[in-house]
């Protein structure tokens, strides 16, 4: 099962798991902030020394880098975040936006971790509206230099991973200002912020350590301020825009708008792969959390039929109903993520915009799920789940970091909805308007025919429900936008941001879920025959769990009636029992080796007694 889930780059995954055999990879607690950071640094250095990933993989095998993110996250979330900044945000940007002079200077050092970088995009005052950021890079033709400057407090680069302690270089995004005052838009500039040998902060660079966070304290986040820092003209990452020695600016991205938004989108491309990297990381964390929970539930004995503590809690319906759907959804999102990774690797000009939507959709799905898994599993492990050594707190903080990084989940879901809305045909909007003009009973009868209740709870039925929701909500949003902006003369901003936000989110989520379910169905068809029944059972359980969460929509729109809703509940509970009985085998399918399951401070039937410990002097 692990090979079916992992899909590719099995050698890299195996090699990294072997790296994590060392004592360096064992969880450590009660560390100072400095010790946590140095531990994450040392772990990433060891990963780099293994030589199984390279920033150059983005040219030929991006999925190798995604695989490394997933496996590293099973070991340590802070390690995985430092990895994604070094290889994706910093390294990937140098690779894609830089040219030979930048590649010769940095790429090998990025791979070996001899040259550590950070990614200076976000500013204190400009998170999701990064195109408005204030940092400037004025070109001084007399000295053939750029002067990088932070003009205000709000312009300081903020939440910069690797920035507080370890980074030698920063890819700083700034407005390129020509001598005549022309703003050519945001570009990436290579700024050395520390010395290569002694890490001395360079003149004009100010670093504020952001200190303790609610978790993930192995990451050294910083605020960076540039006080008229001079860099060579050649430090402009010039793959798409260039400034010649005679002061002539040229760009492949033709953009005459005042904010040069197109140029910003071109230089911020690494955020796209970053969303896939984050989803990959959190998928790894989710697997580890579920494996820990199921292993505990299978060994923790509680009161049985005769009143003795002789029954594993995994046999209880309470536990199965909570954990089994999480396993099913983790499998579902794994296949969805595999699909997005494959599309990203093989994208071309013909499908680039679709890949953008896929990358934006997958991060929210996986990170929201990871947060829910951490919360639910912590509770289902009782007091033992509250111990730091069992890593539920780490998983929870990791999920929340993923939900915010590389675009707030709900903000990038707006991006998904916007792109989907642009593809709706006028004829579809008119047809939906005619449908909505019919009596409610007629609407319900039409909807019900889309998903006949006679087939409730089968795989085909679940697929049809997801497809109906995806289509219906998109057309509903298109109709409301048309009516309110054209007939009622409201602005797009007012309707989108102030009146229809729940529907906007619903459209994006419905698309993402349907995309994922289709990917799951294709993976089942490609899987070995003996696995297909088990995988289909997981597909249906995941689908029914999702349908139950959105039952209000389906009942109010008449897609099915109360009788069908009861059948959904009944089948959901039956499948929870079946999947619960397979839980151990299913989490073993995640392919986590025994040495990465660190000794858990959980009472189980296999734990030694006090007498046994005294006899062997283990206290």
């Amino acid at each position: 099962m692990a090979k079916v889930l992992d899909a590719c780059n099995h050698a890299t995954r195996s090699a990294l798991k072997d790296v994590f055999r060392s004592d360096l990879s064992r969880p450590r607690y009660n560390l100072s902030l400095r010790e946590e950071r140095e531990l994450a640094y040392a772990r990433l250095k060891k990963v780099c020394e293994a030589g199984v990933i390279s920033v150059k993989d983005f040219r030929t095998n991006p999925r190798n880098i995604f695989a490394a993110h997933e496996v590293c996250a099973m070991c340590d979330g802070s390690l995985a975040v430092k990895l994604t900044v070094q290889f994706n945000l910093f390294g990937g940007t140098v690779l894609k936006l830089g040219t030979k002079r930048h590649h010769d200077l940095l790429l090998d050092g990025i791979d070996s971790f001899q040259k550590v970088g950070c990614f200076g995009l976000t500013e204190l005052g400009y998170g999701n509206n990064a195109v408005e950021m204030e940092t400037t890079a004025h070109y001084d033709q007399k000295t053939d230099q750029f002067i990088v400057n932070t003009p205000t407090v709000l312009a300081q680069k903020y939440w910069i991973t690797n920035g507080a302690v370890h980074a030698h270089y920063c890819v700083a995004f700034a407005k390129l200002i020509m001598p005549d005052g022309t703003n050519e838009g945001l570009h990436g500039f290579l700024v050395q912020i520390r010395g290569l040998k002694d890490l001395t902060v360079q003149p004009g660079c100010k670093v504020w350590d952001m200190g303790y966070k609610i978790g993930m304290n192995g990451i050294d986040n910083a605020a960076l301020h540039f006080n008229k820092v001079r860099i060579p003209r050649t430090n402009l990452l010039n793959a798409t825009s260039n400034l010649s020695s005679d002061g002539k600016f040229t760009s492949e991205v033709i953009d005459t708008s005042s904010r040069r938004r197109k140029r910003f989108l071109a230089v911020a491309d690494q955020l796209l792969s970053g969303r896939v990297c984050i989803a990959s990381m959190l998928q790894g964390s989710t697997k580890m959390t579920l494996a820990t929970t199921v292993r505990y539930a299978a060994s923790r004995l509680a009161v049985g039929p005769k009143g003795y503590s002789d029954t594993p809690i995994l046999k209880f319906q309470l536990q199965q109903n909570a954990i089994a759907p999480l396993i099913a959804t983790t499998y579902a999102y794994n296949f969805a993520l595999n699909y997005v990774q494959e599309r990203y690797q093989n994208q071309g000009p013909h499908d680039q915009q679709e890949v953008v939507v896929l990358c934006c959709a997958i991060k929210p799905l996986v990170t929201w799920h990871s947060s829910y898994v951490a919360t639910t599993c912590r509770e289902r492990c009782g007091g033992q789940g509250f111990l730091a050594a069992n890593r539920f707190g780490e998983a929870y903080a990791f999920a929340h970091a993923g939900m915010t990084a590389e675009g707030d989940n709900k903000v990038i879901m707006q991006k998904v909805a916007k792109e989907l809305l642009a593809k709706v045909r006028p004829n579809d909007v008119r047809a939906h308007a005619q449908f909505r003009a019919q009596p409610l009973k007629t609407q319900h009868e039409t909807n019900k025919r889309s998903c006949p209740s006679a087939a409730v709870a089968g795989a085909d039925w679940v697929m049809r429900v997801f497809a109906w929701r995806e289509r219906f909500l998109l057309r509903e949003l298109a109709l409301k936008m048309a009516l309110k902006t054209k007939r009622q003369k409201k602005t797009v901003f007012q309707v989108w941001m102030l009146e229809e936000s729940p529907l906007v989110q619903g459209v994006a989520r419905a698309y993402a879920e349907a995309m994922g379910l289709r990917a799951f169905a294709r993976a089942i068809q490609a899987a070995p025959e003996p696995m297909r029944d088990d995988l289909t059972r997981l597909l249906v359980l995941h689908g029914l769990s999702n349908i139950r969460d959105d039952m209000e929509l389906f009942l109010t729109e008449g897609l099915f009636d109360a009788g069908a809703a009861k059948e959904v509940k009944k089948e959901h509970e039956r499948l929870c029992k079946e999947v619960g009985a397979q839980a151990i085998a299913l989490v073993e399918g995640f392919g986590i080796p025994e040495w990465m399951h660190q000794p858990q401070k959980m009472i189980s039937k296999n734990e030694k007694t006090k007498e046994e410990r005294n006899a062997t002097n283990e206290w």
Side-chain angles (χ1 to χ4, degrees):
M1 185 67 83
K3 286 194 174 181
V4 172
L5 281 173
D6 291 344
C8 64
N9 295 291
H10 298 110
T12 293
R13 294 172 189 270
S14 179
L16 286 173
K17 289 170 185 176
D18 281 339
V19 168
F20 299 139
R21 287 177 182 268
S22 70
D23 287 342
L24 181 66
S25 303
R26 294 173 65 86
R28 301 182 188 182
Y29 302 96
N30 197 28
L31 301 178
S32 67
L33 182 62
R34 183 189 65 80
E35 289 171 331
E36 283 200 60
R37 290 170 169 179
E38 291 309 312
L39 180 61
Y41 177 91
R43 286 171 173 168
L44 179 53
K45 191 173 190 301
K46 195 168 185 66
V47 167
C48 293
E49 289 171 350
V52 295
I53 57 169
S54 168
V55 66
K56 300 165 193 172
D57 288 338
F58 272 116
R59 289 174 174 157
T60 57
N61 186 13
R63 296 174 81 182
N64 195 51
I65 293 179
F66 299 148
H69 279 75
E70 180 179 337
V71 178
C72 287
M74 293 176 178
C75 172
D76 176 13
S78 293
L79 154 67
V81 172
K82 289 181 77 68
L83 170 81
T84 204
V85 171
Q86 176 73 358
F87 282 88
N88 178 65
L89 290 180
F90 175 70
T93 299
V94 171
L95 179 73
K96 291 184 179 180
L97 297 185
T99 51
K100 186 177 185 302
R101 63 193 183 215
H102 310 109
H103 298 166
D104 291 346
L105 174 67
L106 289 172
L107 294 189
D108 289 343
I110 289 170
D111 285 350
S112 65
F113 208 43
Q114 296 300 308
K115 293 181 178 178
V116 182
C118 59
F119 185 77
L121 177 63
T122 299
E123 296 181 359
L124 177 59
Y126 308 94
N128 290 311
N129 195 18
V131 71
E132 286 291 300
M133 66 175 55
E134 298 181 24
T135 301
T136 56
H138 285 264
Y139 178 57
D140 182 351
Q141 194 165 7
K142 293 180 180 179
T143 61
D144 198 27
Q145 294 175 319
F146 284 107
I147 305 170
V148 181
N149 192 56
T150 305
T152 69
V153 171
L154 292 180
Q156 62 186 303
K157 300 298 181 181
Y158 213 64
W159 282 115
I160 308 304
T161 294
N162 292 343
V165 179
H166 295 133
H168 303 109
Y169 294 95
C170 177
V171 171
F173 289 86
K175 296 176 181 176
L176 193 162
I177 309 297
M178 296 295 289
D180 64 358
T182 301
N183 174 12
E184 295 293 355
L186 289 174
H187 290 76
F189 299 86
L190 191 63
V191 181
Q192 186 171 348
I193 61 174
R194 286 189 179 86
L196 293 175
K197 294 184 178 180
D198 58 5
L199 293 177
T200 302
V201 176
Q202 299 297 284
C205 300
K206 296 181 180 179
V207 179
W208 285 275
D209 191 327
M210 296 184 70
Y212 279 98
K213 305 175 287 290
I214 65 170
M216 311 294 290
N217 283 302
I219 307 168
D220 54 315
N221 298 105
L224 302 181
H225 183 282
F226 303 110
N227 183 19
K228 298 181 180 178
V229 176
R230 288 182 173 269
I231 61 173
R233 171 183 54 82
T234 53
N235 280 26
L236 167 67
L237 299 180
N238 63 329
T240 59
S241 297
N242 189 49
L243 189 63
S244 63
S245 57
D246 60 359
K248 182 180 179 181
F249 176 84
T250 56
S251 179
E252 295 178 3
V253 184
I254 306 302
D255 189 351
T256 58
S257 65
S258 60
R259 299 194 301 172
R260 304 294 198 271
R261 180 174 174 78
K262 289 182 181 178
R263 287 186 186 152
F264 165 70
L265 295 176
V267 300
D269 178 69
Q270 215 57 31
L271 292 177
L272 197 62
S273 56
R275 288 162 188 158
V276 185
C277 288
I278 289 174
S280 302
M281 287 191 287
L282 269 301
Q283 186 69 6
S285 175
T286 299
K287 288 177 178 178
M288 181 61 80
T289 301
L290 271 173
T292 299
T293 302
V294 170
R295 284 158 63 97
Y296 174 61
S299 61
R300 178 66 161 101
L301 302 180
V303 62
K306 297 181 180 181
Y308 298 106
S309 293
D310 59 4
T311 304
I313 61 175
L314 187 56
K315 289 190 175 182
F316 297 156
Q317 186 185 43
L318 175 69
Q319 205 78 355
Q320 292 174 350
N321 285 357
I323 296 174
L326 303 183
I327 296 173
T329 296
T330 301
Y331 268 73
Y333 289 171
N334 200 109
F335 291 119
L337 180 57
N338 287 348
Y339 171 67
V340 174
Q341 291 174 351
E342 186 273 332
R343 289 292 303 274
Y344 180 89
Q345 178 156 309
N346 298 315
Q347 66 180 301
H350 65 287
D351 66 347
Q352 190 172 34
Q353 198 56 37
E354 184 182 359
V355 171
V356 168
V357 176
L358 289 169
C359 294
C360 290
I362 195 64
K363 182 181 89 84
L365 276 192
V366 174
T367 55
W368 279 328
H369 176 60
S370 189
S371 175
Y372 185 64
V373 166
T375 300
T376 303
C377 288
R378 203 298 307 158
E379 182 181 1
R380 295 277 41 89
C381 288
Q384 302 295 348
F386 206 67
L387 288 169
N390 293 316
R391 302 183 64 188
F392 293 104
E394 177 187 332
Y396 184 80
F398 193 7
H400 276 259
M403 287 155 57
T404 301
E406 265 81 294
D408 175 284
N409 277 358
K410 293 206 169 184
V411 174
I412 60 175
M413 279 303 215
Q414 288 189 341
K415 164 74 171 174
V416 171
K418 176 178 177 291
E419 297 297 331
L420 295 173
L421 192 63
K423 296 181 179 180
V424 178
R425 298 174 300 181
N427 286 344
D428 292 334
V429 179
R430 285 191 288 271
H432 194 68
Q434 292 170 0
F435 168 76
R436 280 309 211 182
Q438 295 174 341
L440 189 59
K441 182 179 179 180
T442 304
Q443 293 181 40
H444 285 184
E445 290 172 349
T446 301
N447 285 337
K448 196 170 184 179
R449 287 194 293 272
S450 301
C451 302
S453 57
V456 165
D460 290 341
W461 183 81
V462 168
M463 297 280 291
R464 293 179 72 163
V465 172
F466 274 49
W468 174 88
R469 178 177 59 184
E470 178 186 20
R471 181 179 62 256
F472 175 84
L473 291 179
L474 180 57
R475 291 182 177 183
E476 185 79 351
L477 178 61
L479 177 60
K480 288 192 174 185
M481 292 298 297
L483 290 176
K484 291 187 174 185
T485 58
K486 294 178 181 178
R487 291 189 183 180
Q488 300 177 21
K489 305 301 182 183
K490 294 180 179 179
T491 64
V492 171
F493 180 89
Q494 181 178 354
V495 180
W496 189 268
M497 297 296 292
L498 307 180
E499 297 183 7
E500 296 297 342
S501 185
L503 182 55
V504 169
Q505 294 295 315
V507 165
R509 186 69 184 254
Y511 162 80
E513 294 286 7
M515 174 275 295
L517 203 69
R518 290 190 290 267
F520 198 168
R522 289 191 296 269
I524 292 172
Q525 291 302 310
E529 179 68 34
M531 296 182 182
R532 292 180 188 173
D533 287 347
D534 289 341
L535 290 173
T536 300
R537 188 179 297 112
L538 292 171
L539 181 149
V540 175
L541 178 55
H542 161 67
L544 294 181
S545 298
N546 191 276
I547 288 168
R548 290 186 69 188
D549 290 342
D550 216 359
M551 189 63 75
E552 178 186 354
L553 170 68
F554 301 126
L555 290 175
T556 55
E557 296 300 335
L559 189 67
F560 43 80
D561 56 22
K566 288 182 179 180
E567 285 298 313
V568 167
K569 179 178 182 292
K570 180 180 177 181
E571 183 66 6
H572 183 270
E573 291 180 353
R574 185 185 72 80
L575 289 174
C576 282
K577 186 176 183 67
E578 290 187 5
V579 171
Q582 295 180 304
I584 289 288
L586 289 169
V587 298
E588 285 178 351
F590 295 155
I592 305 171
E594 191 61 34
W595 61 84
M596 290 186 71
H597 290 288
Q598 301 298 338
Q600 298 157 8
K601 293 181 177 293
M602 291 188 174
I603 300 170
S604 76
K605 65 181 180 182
N606 297 317
E607 186 173 15
K608 292 183 178 180
T609 65
K610 179 179 179 181
E611 289 74 22
E612 289 172 327
R613 290 186 181 277
N614 283 331
T616 55
N617 195 29
E618 291 184 23
W619 288 104

